[in-house]
Structure formats: C-alpha cells, structure tokens
Amino acid sequence: MEKQVILTGDRPTGNLHLGHWVGSLQSRVALQHSFEQYVMVADTQALTDNFGNPQKVMENVMEVVGDYIAVGIDPQLTTIFIQSQIPALTELTAYYMNLVSLSRLERNPTVKAEIAQKEFEESVPAGFLCYPVSQAADITAFKAELVPVGADQLPMIELSNEIVRRFNRLYNTDCLKESKVYLSNTSRLIGIDGKAKASKSLNNAIFLSDTPGTIREKVFSMFTDPMHVHVSDPGRIEGNVVFTYLDVFHDDMEETALLKERYARGGLGDVTLKSLLDDVLQRKLQPIREKRESLSKKYLLEICFEGTQRAKSVAQKTLQEVKDAMGIDFFSDNIK
Ligand code: ATP
Ligand code: MG
C-alpha cells in the first residue's frame, strides 16, 4: 500500500523555537517513519511580510534546516525543500487565486490577527493577504492528506479544502485531494510574555538554538503572579507562564502537580520554581543545540538540493494534471 503524504513547513523569519517543537516538529519526527513526508522552508511566503528585507529571509533558510536536523527530522525519511525553487507552486497559486474571493481572504482570523499585529495599516501587501492561497498550492501539489501544524493554521487548511472542492467540481476531476490537520497536544504554546502564542515575529520565544545563558535569562523573565511577592504568599497557577511551560516540558507530571499545590498554598518562591524550569529546558535543549553545532552548512545545502529536486518533480506532475483538467495545452501535440 502507498504511504499517505504529509506536507508542512515553516517561514524562515528566524530560528525555530519551543512552540514549533511541541506544535509541529515533534509530530514530524514521529510521523516520518510511517508517512511520505515533505517539509518545506517557506521562503516565498516569508517574503510576503519581509519584502524589504529578503536577506533576512535567505539567511534564515539554512538556520531553519539546521533546526530540523537537530530535532531529529531525518533527510533519509523526509524530503526537505525550499519553496522559492519550485516554480510549479507559484503557477498553481496563480490558478487557485481565481477560486477565492477577496472577502473570503479578508475573513481569515489568523491573517486578520497578523495584519493587526504587523501594523500594515491601509497598505497590506496583496501577497500577504493571499498567502493562504499559496499554502493551498503547497499542500495540494504534494497531494498531502495530513498537515501537522499549530492551531493558528486551522483556517488555512479549511481554505485549502474549499479550493480543492471548488477546483474538482468546476473542472470535473478528482486530481486534487483534501487534507486534514494533525494537531499535537500543545497546538499553541503561549509566549514567555504570557501572550497567546510564542512567535518569531513577537520575539517572545525560547529558541532551540538559544545559549544556556539566554535560556536562563528568558525563564527568569517569565510572567508568574504579580501578587506573589513573598515566598509565603499564596500564588496563582492560572495564567502563570512558568507552570504552563512545566505542564508542557516537565516529564515528571507528579512533581509539577505537587509544586502547583505548594505554590497555591504559599511557601514556594518564584526563584525555586524558575530554577526548576530552567533545569528542565536546559536538559531538553542541550542535545539539540549540540547536534545543531555539529552540522556543516555544506551538508545542509546538499540536503536541501536533493530534497528540492525530488519535490520539484512531484509538484510538476500535479501542475500538469491541473493544467490538463483546465484544458491548458497548446504545444504538446503540434510541436515536438
Ligand atoms: P512568524 O512569527 O514569522 O509567523 P511563527 O513563530 O509563527 O513565525 P511559523 O513559521 O509561522 O512560525 O509557523 C511554523 C509552524 O509552527 C506552523 O505550523 C505553526 O502553526 C507552528 N507554530 C508556530 N508557533 C507556534 C506555537 N507558539 N505553538 C504551536 N505551534 C506553533
Ligand atoms: Mg506564523
């Protein structure tokens, strides 16, 4: 039986962080054995809100690939590729653009929140508003059935499936496949500042490549309970970032439960609590950082080159099916 296909990716706008790790990277590592997995570095998409700074995006491509390998994505099992190097994805986007209305794009809650956060004001780049259409191109080009992403991506998959249904109905074909979201247990890790989502752009994340000193600094800057002034004061668990992170990252759930009890009762200081989280994160991130440091840029480039070649031929095949379904064909019979 043929393996089911996975497609997912990340914008090279910075290094990957703990949110990526628990929201999507760990799923990719687990699923790569039983699925045919494609992982895309979405540099074209990253340009939609970084057009003035392409250098930043390009520099981050290999950083992101380094993070992939460091967490255990295996290039023998997973095809890693660079979005901008696959023209078929841009062509598919151009066709799909006609299957979505402007008002539908403007209703996308994730894009709406990002627009507000980025303060584009009246001049939202058209490419930014339309990036969910290019995501539909990415997903369908590989006929992906499963997309392991964080919760912010749910509206994108919904739109992608709308495009698939519309295309298949309109051109009386079944060449495009609908996909499903694969959500992890932590599909939205909060930021170290307590904001709803840890994000590269908000600079409120602990990065997989952070040094031990930076990790410690970030942990000690975390928001706890402003009313918890003295060690003996009872403290709040809810909204306390340190406990949220312990829930996600501390393997000893019993210890976390006991700490919560003590903290709520009074008698547990923030410094002790943060030191524990620091230990937990240092232990988890040290092997990732060491693996990352051992990778040469040449090796990462080779992985991307091979993966991109493979991905290119798959995407090209789907593009041909799409054009055939639409009857876009001029020269194949007449000129050889
Ligand atoms: P940017 O701020 O540039 O958009 P980002 O931190 O949101 O960066 P993306 O590259 O947009 O990262 O997201 C890559 C993948 O990681 C997506 O599947 C996204 O849902 C997931 N992801 C990002 N942040 C989190 C988070 N805090 N918790 C869970 N998943 C996340
Ligand atoms: Mg994002």
Side-chain angles (χ1 to χ4, degrees), residues 21 44 54 75 83 88 99 126 139-140 147 149 151 158 164 181 183 185-186 195 226 228 243 263:
W21 196 35
T44 312
Q83 186 184 28
L99 302 176
I139 296 167
T140 56
V147 188
V149 280
E158 199 181 304
V164 168
V181 170
L183 286 184
N185 290 335
T186 312
K195 286 214 178 99
H228 184 246
F243 278 114
Y263 195 83

Short mmCIF file of all heavy atoms in Angstrom, two decimals, residues 21 44 54 75 83 88 99 126 139-140 147 149 151 158 164 181 183 185-186 195 226 228 243 263:
data_model
loop_
_atom_site.label_atom_id
_atom_site.label_comp_id
_atom_site.label_asym_id
_atom_site.label_seq_id
_atom_site.Cartn_x
_atom_site.Cartn_y
_atom_site.Cartn_z
N TRP A 21 8.55 23.31 18.16
CA TRP A 21 8.95 21.97 18.56
C TRP A 21 7.74 21.15 19.03
O TRP A 21 7.47 20.07 18.51
CB TRP A 21 10.02 22.08 19.67
CG TRP A 21 10.78 20.81 19.92
CD1 TRP A 21 11.15 19.89 18.98
CD2 TRP A 21 11.27 20.35 21.16
NE1 TRP A 21 11.86 18.88 19.58
CE2 TRP A 21 11.95 19.14 20.92
CE3 TRP A 21 11.22 20.84 22.47
CZ2 TRP A 21 12.56 18.41 21.94
CZ3 TRP A 21 11.83 20.12 23.48
CH2 TRP A 21 12.49 18.92 23.22
N THR A 44 9.30 31.92 0.08
CA THR A 44 8.43 32.81 -0.71
C THR A 44 7.36 33.41 0.20
O THR A 44 7.07 34.60 0.14
CB THR A 44 7.76 32.02 -1.87
OG1 THR A 44 8.75 31.26 -2.53
CG2 THR A 44 7.08 32.96 -2.83
N PRO A 54 14.86 40.86 2.06
CA PRO A 54 15.00 39.47 1.58
C PRO A 54 16.22 38.77 2.16
O PRO A 54 16.21 37.56 2.37
CB PRO A 54 15.12 39.61 0.06
CG PRO A 54 15.46 41.03 -0.20
CD PRO A 54 14.92 41.83 0.94
N PRO A 75 16.71 13.35 6.93
CA PRO A 75 16.59 13.61 5.49
C PRO A 75 16.49 12.35 4.63
O PRO A 75 16.12 12.42 3.47
CB PRO A 75 17.88 14.38 5.16
CG PRO A 75 18.78 14.19 6.31
CD PRO A 75 17.97 13.85 7.50
N GLN A 83 10.85 26.41 -0.90
CA GLN A 83 9.65 26.78 -1.67
C GLN A 83 9.97 27.59 -2.93
O GLN A 83 9.44 27.31 -4.00
CB GLN A 83 8.73 27.60 -0.74
CG GLN A 83 7.39 27.94 -1.34
CD GLN A 83 6.57 28.83 -0.41
OE1 GLN A 83 7.12 29.58 0.39
NE2 GLN A 83 5.26 28.74 -0.51
N ALA A 88 6.47 25.43 -10.00
CA ALA A 88 5.11 24.86 -10.10
C ALA A 88 4.21 25.37 -8.97
O ALA A 88 3.00 25.53 -9.16
CB ALA A 88 5.18 23.33 -10.07
N LEU A 99 -10.14 31.11 -7.56
CA LEU A 99 -11.18 30.29 -6.92
C LEU A 99 -11.53 30.81 -5.53
O LEU A 99 -12.30 30.19 -4.81
CB LEU A 99 -10.70 28.83 -6.81
CG LEU A 99 -10.32 28.14 -8.12
CD1 LEU A 99 -9.78 26.74 -7.87
CD2 LEU A 99 -11.53 28.07 -9.05
N ALA A 126 -0.68 42.64 -1.12
CA ALA A 126 -1.62 41.65 -1.67
C ALA A 126 -1.07 40.24 -1.45
O ALA A 126 -1.82 39.31 -1.14
CB ALA A 126 -1.85 41.92 -3.15
N ILE A 139 0.14 22.51 -0.31
CA ILE A 139 -0.46 21.26 0.21
C ILE A 139 -0.91 20.36 -0.92
O ILE A 139 -0.62 19.17 -0.96
CB ILE A 139 -1.66 21.60 1.14
CG1 ILE A 139 -1.16 22.36 2.38
CG2 ILE A 139 -2.41 20.34 1.54
CD1 ILE A 139 -2.27 23.02 3.20
N THR A 140 -1.62 20.96 -1.90
CA THR A 140 -2.20 20.13 -2.96
C THR A 140 -1.15 19.64 -3.95
O THR A 140 -1.32 18.58 -4.55
CB THR A 140 -3.29 20.90 -3.73
OG1 THR A 140 -2.72 22.11 -4.24
CG2 THR A 140 -4.47 21.22 -2.83
N VAL A 147 -1.57 17.37 7.58
CA VAL A 147 -0.73 18.56 7.71
C VAL A 147 -0.50 18.83 9.20
O VAL A 147 -1.38 19.35 9.89
CB VAL A 147 -1.42 19.79 7.05
CG1 VAL A 147 -0.47 20.98 7.01
CG2 VAL A 147 -1.89 19.46 5.65
N VAL A 149 0.44 20.90 11.97
CA VAL A 149 0.69 22.33 12.20
C VAL A 149 0.10 22.76 13.54
O VAL A 149 -0.65 22.02 14.16
CB VAL A 149 0.02 23.19 11.09
CG1 VAL A 149 0.85 23.21 9.82
CG2 VAL A 149 -1.39 22.73 10.81
N ALA A 151 -2.32 25.35 15.95
CA ALA A 151 -3.74 25.70 15.83
C ALA A 151 -3.99 26.92 14.96
O ALA A 151 -5.07 27.06 14.36
CB ALA A 151 -4.32 25.92 17.23
N GLU A 158 -8.72 24.83 6.11
CA GLU A 158 -10.13 24.94 5.71
C GLU A 158 -10.22 25.58 4.31
O GLU A 158 -10.93 25.10 3.44
CB GLU A 158 -10.82 25.82 6.75
CG GLU A 158 -12.32 25.70 6.78
CD GLU A 158 -12.87 26.66 7.84
OE1 GLU A 158 -12.46 26.56 9.02
OE2 GLU A 158 -13.68 27.53 7.47
N VAL A 164 -9.83 23.00 -3.11
CA VAL A 164 -9.83 21.65 -3.70
C VAL A 164 -11.22 21.28 -4.20
O VAL A 164 -11.41 20.85 -5.34
CB VAL A 164 -9.34 20.61 -2.66
CG1 VAL A 164 -9.61 19.18 -3.14
CG2 VAL A 164 -7.86 20.80 -2.36
N VAL A 181 -5.87 18.45 9.24
CA VAL A 181 -4.87 18.99 10.16
C VAL A 181 -4.50 17.91 11.18
O VAL A 181 -5.37 17.17 11.62
CB VAL A 181 -5.46 20.20 10.92
CG1 VAL A 181 -4.55 20.62 12.05
CG2 VAL A 181 -5.66 21.36 9.97
N LEU A 183 -3.12 17.93 14.79
CA LEU A 183 -2.77 18.82 15.91
C LEU A 183 -2.06 18.02 17.00
O LEU A 183 -2.47 16.91 17.33
CB LEU A 183 -4.02 19.46 16.51
CG LEU A 183 -4.71 20.57 15.72
CD1 LEU A 183 -5.87 21.13 16.53
CD2 LEU A 183 -3.77 21.69 15.32
N ASN A 185 -0.56 17.74 21.09
CA ASN A 185 -1.20 18.05 22.39
C ASN A 185 -1.03 19.50 22.76
O ASN A 185 -1.81 20.04 23.55
CB ASN A 185 -0.57 17.20 23.50
CG ASN A 185 -0.94 15.75 23.34
OD1 ASN A 185 -1.98 15.44 22.74
ND2 ASN A 185 -0.10 14.86 23.83
N THR A 186 0.02 20.13 22.25
CA THR A 186 0.22 21.56 22.52
C THR A 186 0.20 22.29 21.19
O THR A 186 1.23 22.57 20.61
CB THR A 186 1.57 21.82 23.23
OG1 THR A 186 1.68 20.91 24.32
CG2 THR A 186 1.66 23.24 23.74
N LYS A 195 1.70 36.15 26.23
CA LYS A 195 0.83 36.37 25.06
C LYS A 195 0.40 35.04 24.49
O LYS A 195 1.07 34.01 24.66
CB LYS A 195 1.58 37.16 23.98
CG LYS A 195 1.75 38.63 24.31
CD LYS A 195 1.69 39.49 23.04
CE LYS A 195 1.81 40.96 23.38
NZ LYS A 195 3.17 41.48 23.18
N PRO A 226 1.89 38.52 39.76
CA PRO A 226 2.39 39.78 40.33
C PRO A 226 2.03 39.97 41.80
O PRO A 226 2.68 40.73 42.52
CB PRO A 226 1.73 40.86 39.46
CG PRO A 226 0.64 40.19 38.71
CD PRO A 226 0.97 38.74 38.63
N HIS A 228 2.22 37.59 43.96
CA HIS A 228 3.01 36.62 44.74
C HIS A 228 4.36 37.28 45.07
O HIS A 228 5.37 37.05 44.42
CB HIS A 228 3.21 35.35 43.89
CG HIS A 228 3.92 34.26 44.58
ND1 HIS A 228 5.16 33.81 44.20
CD2 HIS A 228 3.57 33.50 45.66
CE1 HIS A 228 5.55 32.83 45.00
NE2 HIS A 228 4.60 32.62 45.88
N PHE A 243 4.27 27.69 35.08
CA PHE A 243 3.52 26.43 35.21
C PHE A 243 3.04 25.91 33.85
O PHE A 243 3.02 24.71 33.61
CB PHE A 243 2.35 26.59 36.19
CG PHE A 243 2.80 26.44 37.62
CD1 PHE A 243 2.74 27.51 38.50
CD2 PHE A 243 3.31 25.22 38.06
CE1 PHE A 243 3.18 27.36 39.81
CE2 PHE A 243 3.74 25.07 39.38
CZ PHE A 243 3.68 26.14 40.25
N TYR A 263 2.60 25.98 45.61
CA TYR A 263 2.60 27.37 45.15
C TYR A 263 1.27 28.03 45.51
O TYR A 263 1.22 29.16 46.01
CB TYR A 263 2.83 27.41 43.64
CG TYR A 263 3.20 28.77 43.10
CD1 TYR A 263 4.51 29.22 43.15
CD2 TYR A 263 2.24 29.60 42.51
CE1 TYR A 263 4.87 30.46 42.63
CE2 TYR A 263 2.59 30.84 41.99
CZ TYR A 263 3.91 31.26 42.06
OH TYR A 263 4.26 32.49 41.54
#
